Amino acid sequence: EAFLLAPISIVLSASVGLATIGADDFTDFTLGFFFETILGIIEYVYLDAFIAYASLAFPQMIGKVINAIMSILPFSKSVDEDELEEAEIDAEDTLVEDLMGFLAAYGVNTASVYMTPFFIFFFWDFNDQLRLSYLYGFRKKDLLIYLLFSVVIIPFQIVMDILTFNAQELFHGWKVYEYLKYARYRFINRTSRWKGLERTYDESIDPGLRAIDQMCFSSQYF
């Protein structure tokens, strides 16, 4: 269930980001941050799509190979072609699910970006108790530099996210704006004040994403 994994993913993403404060100096910290950002963009645009495509295409390839081998044997029965066609139709139906998976991952990373300044301030305020400056080998006032960086980077992160959304729409053909607009329409016209109380789900969507789709990526979801 992707909806239940979202809070855990936020904590994990924030922890990984905060672990970079253990760099030797601020230069290494910024290099690590931007390297992680570039890898994130590549993962969003290319890697996630390749993994999703491979997970769908690989079983179909195995089915076709088995079908070819079994057709050679006179005593065997080949794989039904209708099953292969249904698999191809299912592959087309996952377009919306891929979009929802991207939006869920984006929400997790964005939430961790907004929470990072509060975490760093907490570490700075309780540095004497946590002894982070001693364990990581930096001065306590260096945390203020990391705090300032985490605040200043937020508007640039938003601009980068806009460009990433545009790249996703062009590369994958996703209708991000149309989907979010439709999700907003469903949220405004919800039958319950709390969207999670509704018991109607879109059964055409993968069961692991139905709860996220029901919350419509609204303020109640976050």
Side-chain angles (χ1 to χ4, degrees):
E1 178 60 58
F3 183 69
L4 298 179
L5 291 176
I8 302 176
S9 300
I10 292 176
V11 175
L12 180 61
S13 178
S15 301
V16 171
L18 293 173
T20 56
I21 64 177
D24 293 336
D25 50 31
F26 185 72
T27 301
D28 291 342
F29 170 79
T30 54
L31 290 176
F33 174 83
F34 289 117
F35 181 73
E36 181 183 358
T37 302
I38 294 173
L39 287 181
I41 296 176
I42 296 175
E43 179 182 2
Y44 276 148
V45 180
Y46 299 104
L47 186 58
D48 287 344
F50 173 77
I51 294 175
Y53 174 79
S55 63
L56 293 174
F58 188 69
Q60 297 178 18
M61 294 175 59
I62 294 179
K64 292 180 179 179
V65 171
I66 295 177
N67 190 19
I69 295 175
M70 299 295 280
S71 62
I72 300 175
L73 303 177
F75 54 85
S76 61
K77 182 180 179 181
S78 61
V79 179
D80 191 358
E81 293 294 337
D82 294 336
E83 296 179 358
L84 295 177
E85 293 179 359
E86 291 179 359
E88 293 178 359
I89 294 175
D90 293 338
E92 295 177 358
D93 292 340
T94 57
L95 187 63
V96 177
E97 297 175 1
D98 293 340
L99 172 59
M100 293 175 56
F102 162 71
L103 292 176
Y106 166 76
V108 167
N109 293 332
T110 303
S112 64
V113 169
Y114 292 152
M115 294 171 61
T116 297
F118 298 98
F119 277 107
I120 296 180
F121 178 79
F122 174 81
F123 292 152
W124 174 80
D125 195 22
F126 290 91
N127 180 71
D128 296 336
Q129 291 79 13
L130 299 175
R131 303 182 63 191
L132 288 179
S133 59
Y134 172 77
L135 296 175
Y136 281 91
F138 57 80
R139 298 169 299 180
K140 179 180 179 180
K141 62 181 181 180
D142 291 341
L143 287 172
L144 297 178
I145 301 177
Y146 296 131
L147 175 61
L148 180 62
F149 176 83
S150 64
V151 173
V152 172
I153 202 64
I154 290 178
F156 298 98
Q157 186 78 30
I158 295 175
V159 175
M160 189 196 70
D161 292 339
I162 295 174
L163 298 177
T164 303
F165 270 68
N166 187 31
Q168 293 282 45
E169 286 188 343
L170 295 176
F171 186 77
H172 300 291
W174 293 345
K175 304 298 181 182
V176 179
Y177 175 76
E178 286 77 3
Y179 174 79
L180 293 178
K181 186 177 180 180
Y182 175 64
R184 175 177 172 79
Y185 169 80
R186 290 166 48 209
F187 179 73
I188 294 176
N189 296 276
R190 61 190 184 276
T191 58
S192 302
R193 182 174 179 84
W194 182 256
K195 196 69 171 64
L197 296 178
E198 294 182 351
R199 298 303 178 185
T200 57
Y201 297 93
D202 188 351
E203 297 183 356
S204 64
I205 298 176
D206 183 84
L209 296 172
R210 290 177 184 175
I212 291 181
D213 178 71
Q214 184 190 27
M215 298 302 293
C216 301
F217 294 97
S218 59
S219 57
Q220 294 181 359
Y221 166 74
F222 292 102

